[in-house]
Amino acid sequence: MGSSLNWIDWLVIALLLGITVSIGLYFTRRAGKDINSFFVSERALPWYLSGSSMIATSFAADTPLWVSALIRQYGVYYVWQYWAPVIGAGLAIVLFARLWRRMGVLTDIEFIECRYSGKFAGTLRFWSGTSSALIFCPLIIGWVTKAMETISRETMGLPSEYKIWTTIIVVCVALTMCTLSGLWGIVYADFFLFIIATAGTTTLAILSIHHVGGLHAMVEKLSSMHGWAGHNLNIAPSIGSNAAQMSIWNAIGYFGILWIMVAVSGGYQAQRLLACKDGRHATFAIMMHSIIYYGIVCWPWIIVGLCSLIVIPELGHGITNDSAYPRMIITILPIGLRGLLVAALLAAFISTISTMFNWGASYLVNDVYKRFIVKKGSTKHYIWIARIATVMMAAGGGLISFFAHDIQQLLTIFYVVGSGMIVVSVMRWFWWRLNAAGDLAATLAAWIIAPLLLFAKIFDVPARIIFNLDREIEFSSDPNLVGARMLFMTISITAIAVVVSYLTKPTDLERLKDFVHRARPFKLFWKPVVGQMQIEYCEYEGLGRTLVSWIFSAGCIITLIFGIGKLLLGHPLTGVCLLCVFGILLYITVQRINKDFLNERIIDAGDVKKLSKKEIITIK
């Protein structure tokens, strides 16, 4: 098969790759100062750089392919598998972003030894750093690399023996950039790559609408496709037992469990928040990410997925729905713009894997190598170890991608494995009695139970009895039972953490006091510790106020999702009204955030008298 791209397209792609490497070269010296500079940009990031970097990382090359595949198979309502985390994003905006920045650690795993004491805390940190760097990071790299292979197959038209080399070249570009420049180069490259990716995907959406005859024609044609599950174009989730509905178990998983993971904002998001100038910048960074990523950038992908049902209703035997999006690039776009779109998806790919490389390397260097192996190495030594660890991330991700079948398979594994520790990760902040022994037992149990569940399938028979399943249904792999598997992991692992914590000694009181002083969690959950502190304890934000702010922030994003959706899918008046509500909720949320940080500055200055009686009651 000949190439589907013209020399102009290849020139655009080459220009993108060249600029990306140049950014890495530019920041090489600045990143090489020390590991603080290499991994958290000297904690000097403004909110817009941190926010755009999080968007670019989340906007991976696989995401448009995955979203358009969900639409082709189920309908717009099933995109709630992507949107469900907005519940947690709202809580991240009003609470967790500022909690992370207050801790001031280098990685979210270093947090473990700020929260716990004793040998178990060190063991937990070592295991968490190693497993996250060598399993979780490569898993994410694997599924975005899988998407890159699909893109190269469908858009470049290269012979099969060259497809893998296309992916390798792009990975090497990202690897070069992030090994040279660390997080400094990554965030600036992300800012550039985010603009390219957004411009490209929006262009494809606009031209796709034009190709099918406009928005009105698109809605009419889709509504007449009664053989397609989503022909009613509902945006609200449809939950039930029919084949065209989201199963009740998956609804429990996505709306009851998955959002908690997003709320805690660990991993690469914590890295970006820890790199911000202060808590206020961290808060507005996560707000920027949540609003744009969940409410805006997804709609061009959705539109392309909808148009693909009209333009290419059949993809061919053995071809998965992941291929629809890249096929639309070749079908819809003229020469030149094809290169822009391929460059946009390459930009999304580079921004994601470069973050995974740097994030995973931060664990290996800060939480494993520097903490347990070479404790007093030179700055230059640690920087070189960081660069070697980055290469290890790339190799692990490539290996997983080679053996994986498709994107959804890897994503499902991630959901199930990650769900085990979701509640425990929240308990670290809000339950003083959780200790390192309980956390370690839960962590190890999660890594034992998940493979037994997913691959050994030892829970299939008892699950059929408990959930009253038909004999032919496999609990370990049925796509309608993803949420049930997540719930099973969550309950079992949380129970282990609670039981072991109660059977072992509490964390050292002085360690708990220091944690409370740094993080300022809600007093309600830390009364035994706060009662032992020698100073009067003032919360920066009260529990009641935070819950109200959470409603406003989550409602803000949800009204934006529905507002844009109604505007595009045949209900413009409703859409405009919802967008007006979004504007009002956004204004209220920003005002409440500003008030929170004003109160924080007053408390830090020791001048609580400036607060009204109502505010003192809220904060104390």
Side-chain angles (χ1 to χ4, degrees):
M1 181 189 297
S3 175
S4 301
L5 303 179
N6 184 273
W7 68 270
I8 299 175
D9 299 313
W10 288 109
L11 184 62
V12 172
I13 294 170
L15 183 63
L16 170 79
L17 299 180
I19 293 174
T20 304
V21 172
S22 299
I23 291 172
L25 291 170
Y26 180 81
F27 285 100
T28 300
R29 176 174 290 185
R30 192 168 185 179
K33 288 181 181 179
D34 53 38
I35 59 172
N36 266 309
S37 183
F38 196 85
F39 290 128
V40 289
S41 299
E42 303 169 75
R43 305 192 195 281
L45 292 185
W47 63 270
Y48 55 87
L49 270 182
S50 179
S52 62
S53 181
M54 283 190 278
I55 299 166
T57 300
S58 302
F59 182 171
D62 67 291
T63 319
L65 279 64
W66 172 57
V67 169
S68 59
L70 289 178
I71 287 170
R72 287 180 64 90
Q73 188 170 353
Y74 302 106
V76 178
Y77 75 90
Y78 217 82
V79 181
W80 280 99
Q81 187 171 336
Y82 166 92
W83 282 323
V86 299
I87 305 169
L91 187 56
I93 292 169
V94 300
L95 181 63
F96 279 100
R98 59 191 76 171
L99 287 177
W100 279 117
R101 187 58 186 86
R102 283 173 201 159
M103 291 305 299
V105 291
L106 190 72
T107 69
D108 58 324
I109 290 178
E110 184 181 338
F111 163 86
I112 289 170
E113 287 193 300
C114 296
R115 172 62 177 81
Y116 305 127
S117 58
K119 293 182 178 179
F120 284 132
T123 304
L124 177 61
R125 182 176 177 183
F126 178 84
W127 170 254
S128 298
T130 304
S131 60
S132 296
L134 300 183
I135 300 176
F136 262 121
C137 289
L139 182 64
I140 300 172
I141 293 168
W143 82 54
V144 296
T145 303
K146 200 71 186 175
M148 189 65 236
E149 292 175 7
T150 303
I151 292 165
S152 65
R153 180 186 70 237
E154 296 292 342
T155 63
M156 298 180 185
L158 298 174
S160 57
E161 62 268 23
Y162 294 122
K163 293 168 192 171
I164 187 63
W165 290 107
T166 304
T167 305
I168 289 173
I169 290 170
V170 180
V171 168
C172 287
V173 169
L175 196 56
T176 301
M177 190 269 293
C178 65
T179 52
L180 291 174
S181 65
L183 191 62
W184 274 118
I186 290 171
V187 294
Y188 276 93
D190 280 349
F191 189 76
F192 163 71
L193 296 171
F194 165 63
I195 294 172
I196 296 296
T198 304
T201 53
T202 303
T203 299
L204 178 58
I206 293 170
L207 294 180
S208 296
I209 291 171
H210 177 74
H211 187 84
V212 299
L215 279 174
H216 182 70
M218 180 191 76
V219 170
E220 283 191 342
K221 291 174 182 177
L222 292 170
S223 299
S224 65
M225 293 182 178
H226 296 289
W228 172 52
H231 70 273
N232 53 18
L233 296 179
N234 280 345
I235 301 174
S238 178
I239 300 168
S241 57
N242 294 335
Q245 294 179 303
M246 181 185 294
S247 70
I248 184 65
W249 289 115
N250 284 357
I252 291 172
Y254 299 143
F255 294 103
I257 299 173
L258 185 60
W259 68 267
I260 305 174
M261 186 188 303
V262 174
V264 176
S265 299
Y268 75 87
Q269 287 191 335
Q271 184 189 36
R272 297 300 190 278
L273 299 173
L274 289 163
C276 286
K277 291 180 178 181
D278 53 36
R280 190 171 182 275
H281 279 270
T283 296
F284 283 111
I286 201 75
M287 173 181 273
M288 175 184 176
H289 166 266
S290 301
I291 290 174
I292 295 177
Y293 180 66
Y294 292 111
I296 299 175
V297 299
C298 58
W299 280 107
W301 316 333
I302 293 170
I303 290 297
V304 172
L306 291 171
C307 290
S308 74
L309 287 162
I310 301 169
V311 178
I312 41 175
E314 299 294 334
L315 294 172
H317 180 69
I319 304 297
T320 65
N321 283 314
D322 294 341
S323 300
Y325 194 92
R327 284 200 180 183
M328 286 291 285
I329 295 174
I330 300 304
T331 305
I332 299 296
L333 298 181
I335 290 171
L337 284 181
R338 289 181 185 177
L340 174 65
L341 245 296
V342 174
L345 295 178
L346 290 178
F349 176 69
I350 291 171
S351 64
T352 300
I353 62 170
S354 59
T355 289
M356 296 303 112
F357 293 158
N358 185 264
W359 169 44
S362 72
Y363 290 162
L364 285 180
V365 175
N366 186 66
D367 300 304
V368 179
Y369 188 81
K370 185 173 183 289
R371 172 64 179 84
F372 297 101
I373 301 174
V374 178
K375 297 183 179 181
K376 297 182 179 179
S378 65
T379 296
K380 186 177 180 180
H381 176 76
Y382 289 130
I383 292 296
W384 274 109
I385 294 298
R387 287 168 173 158
I388 292 170
T390 302
V391 176
M392 292 173 61
M393 298 297 101
L399 191 64
I400 290 175
S401 174
F402 181 77
F403 288 105
H405 178 260
D406 57 27
I407 298 168
Q408 186 66 35
Q409 179 194 36
L410 294 174
L411 195 60
T412 300
I413 293 172
F414 180 79
Y415 283 166
V416 175
V417 175
S419 62
M421 293 299 294
I422 282 178
V423 174
V424 177
S425 66
V426 175
M427 291 163 59
R428 290 172 179 171
W429 294 97
F430 300 125
W431 188 42
W432 74 275
R433 190 60 180 80
L434 181 69
N435 60 19
D439 201 328
L440 179 62
T443 302
L444 296 177
W447 285 104
I448 294 170
I449 294 174
L452 293 176
L453 167 64
L454 294 173
F455 306 115
K457 303 183 178 184
I458 67 170
F459 299 106
D460 279 8
V461 174
R464 288 194 187 104
I465 299 171
I466 295 171
F467 296 110
N468 193 27
L469 304 176
D470 294 336
R471 291 181 60 85
E472 66 273 9
I473 295 178
E474 292 188 346
F475 178 69
S476 57
S477 59
D478 190 282
N480 289 319
L481 294 175
V482 173
R485 296 193 287 275
M486 293 171 68
L487 183 63
F488 172 78
M489 287 291 294
T490 301
I491 293 174
S492 58
I493 300 306
T494 302
I496 291 170
V498 171
V499 170
V500 175
S501 291
Y502 271 125
L503 292 176
T504 52
K505 293 181 179 180
T507 302
D508 178 71
L509 182 60
E510 293 305 313
R511 180 62 53 86
L512 293 177
K513 286 181 181 180
D514 181 65
F515 171 78
V516 169
H517 183 72
R518 291 173 67 178
R520 299 294 180 104
F522 302 127
K523 182 179 179 179
L524 176 65
F525 306 113
W526 288 84
K527 284 184 178 180
V529 178
V530 171
Q532 299 294 318
M533 297 176 72
Q534 300 300 314
I535 60 173
E536 184 179 8
Y537 181 70
C538 289
E539 298 171 322
Y540 283 149
E541 52 274 315
L543 177 58
R545 178 177 175 82
T546 300
L547 292 174
V548 173
S549 296
W550 181 14
I551 293 171
F552 282 123
S553 59
C556 170
I557 306 168
I558 291 170
T559 53
L560 178 62
I561 291 170
F562 277 93
I564 295 176
K566 293 294 183 180
L567 202 62
L568 294 174
L569 301 179
H571 302 279
L573 182 59
T574 305
V576 171
C577 291
L578 286 170
L579 291 177
C580 290
V581 175
F582 157 73
I584 294 169
L585 293 177
L586 177 61
Y587 175 80
I588 294 172
T589 301
V590 171
Q591 291 302 308
R592 293 180 70 87
I593 289 170
N594 287 333
K595 184 65 175 177
D596 287 343
F597 283 102
L598 174 61
N599 293 343
E600 183 176 322
R601 288 197 298 272
I602 291 172
I603 292 172
D604 286 342
D607 197 2
V608 182
K609 293 179 181 180
K610 288 185 178 180
L611 300 175
S612 69
K613 289 183 179 180
K614 184 177 180 181
E615 288 169 334
I616 292 173
I617 292 170
T618 300
I619 293 169
K620 282 190 176 181

